[in-house]
Amino acid sequence: LISDIHGCYEEYRKLLDQIRFSDKDRLYILGDAMDRGPYPIKVIQDIMARPNITYIIGNHDYEFFYFAKKLSARSAGKDPMNDMSEEELYALAGWLQDGGSITLRQFSELSVKDGGTILEYLADASAYEVLEEGGKEYILVHAGIDNFREDRELEEYDFLDFISSRPDYTRRYYQREEVFVVTGHTPTPLIREDELPLVYQKNGHIAIDCGCVFGGRLAAYCIESGKITYVTGENREKTEV
């Protein structure tokens, strides 16, 4: 399991090499390949080229998808800015300031066909995945589970419930100790008492976004063994999370 690559292509490829990722493996990426780092489009294209990767959509991916589709109306001879509400324009400005500008610039350099393929891939991305291993259940989401009730089935939630709400990592979602919620989105130095860029495991949570793009680490968590592999990132981004 990997999360929040945020355009850090070199670290991502180095991490795949370190875990010896092969065609026999299955990799789950918990969203936010896009924005902030230097090569977001290169990252998502590499992910798309690997049939043994399951992609779970994150909030940055969704913002890119939403605004890329809106702005692509230019090709139809329209001015998409005129079709956006004031709220959408405000959200667009916020996304561009929060690392979206590099993704949009690189996306605009693609052919219509290649750009459309990326949008189709994200449209088909998972909102969540559930894995079972060694008598344990792992619920994989990007951010958390908003509007959570323990008696509510995952398919009853809206996909937006999984991509932006930050959990209370001091509390369990599920009372069964064999159930774990695995998340990215919130850099672990903001969760851990020691503020280190390491995976957080407590209270039924496994948080794996170790803030690579902020100079932390990119982490790969293996559910079969519990082994964690890290690659140190370069601090390229000062934007608030």
Side-chain angles (χ1 to χ4, degrees):
L1 317 178
I2 298 175
S3 189
D4 292 77
I5 301 167
H6 279 304
C8 296
Y9 180 77
E10 299 300 330
E11 291 90 336
Y12 158 71
R13 290 301 302 268
K14 185 176 181 180
L15 186 57
L16 294 189
D17 288 343
Q18 287 198 14
I19 64 175
R20 299 180 180 178
F21 184 62
S22 74
D23 294 341
K24 298 179 181 180
D25 299 314
R26 168 62 59 177
L27 176 63
Y28 294 81
I29 297 181
L30 277 58
D32 281 4
M34 317 304 279
D35 300 348
R36 294 181 171 160
Y39 303 113
I41 296 300
K42 200 172 180 180
V43 169
I44 197 67
Q45 287 179 322
D46 185 275
I47 291 169
M48 291 166 54
R50 299 175 187 267
N52 54 338
I53 291 182
T54 298
Y55 196 78
I56 297 170
I57 195 165
N59 60 306
H60 280 264
D61 307 313
Y62 176 67
E63 287 177 301
F64 159 72
F65 173 82
Y66 183 89
F67 289 116
K69 286 184 70 70
K70 282 278 186 179
L71 295 172
S72 68
R74 290 184 187 277
S75 62
K78 301 177 182 178
D79 184 351
M81 308 301 280
N82 290 335
D83 293 333
M84 289 191 196
S85 67
E86 184 176 345
E87 183 179 0
E88 286 177 317
L89 291 171
Y90 181 80
L92 171 61
W95 170 61
L96 292 173
Q97 289 182 338
D98 195 21
S101 58
I102 189 168
T103 307
L104 188 59
R105 182 171 66 252
Q106 292 177 5
F107 180 76
S108 69
E109 296 170 354
L110 298 175
S111 67
V112 173
K113 179 181 178 181
D114 288 346
T117 301
I118 291 175
L119 295 180
E120 290 172 6
Y121 182 81
L122 292 178
D124 291 337
S126 301
Y128 64 88
E129 293 285 336
V130 180
L131 306 179
E132 295 184 1
E133 176 65 31
K136 298 177 181 179
E137 182 175 304
Y138 299 86
I139 298 171
L140 317 182
V141 296
H142 173 65
I145 308 176
D146 204 9
N147 302 306
F148 176 77
R149 292 200 325 267
E150 189 163 1
D151 62 348
R152 190 178 183 186
E153 298 295 329
L154 290 171
E155 59 264 26
E156 296 177 15
Y157 292 91
D158 185 88
F159 88 95
L160 292 173
D161 289 326
F162 300 112
I163 69 171
S164 60
S165 178
R166 300 189 191 278
D168 179 354
Y169 286 100
T170 67
R171 300 177 60 184
R172 282 185 173 271
Y173 274 120
Y174 296 92
Q175 295 309 304
R176 289 180 294 145
E177 292 189 357
E178 67 272 18
V179 179
F180 298 86
V181 178
V182 188
T183 55
H185 189 57
T186 303
T188 56
L190 301 179
I191 306 170
R192 296 174 57 99
E193 291 183 3
D194 57 15
E195 299 182 352
L196 292 176
L198 303 173
V199 167
Y200 173 89
Q201 300 183 75
K202 196 174 182 181
N203 304 315
H205 294 279
I206 304 175
I208 64 172
D209 173 13
C210 298
C212 179
V213 78
F214 300 104
R217 295 174 178 176
L218 191 63
Y221 181 90
C222 178
I223 65 167
E224 289 93 346
S225 65
K227 180 180 178 180
I228 305 169
T229 305
Y230 295 103
V231 168
T232 300
E234 178 183 345
N235 189 0
R236 304 181 178 92
E237 177 59 64
K238 304 296 184 182
T239 309
E240 291 185 1
V241 295

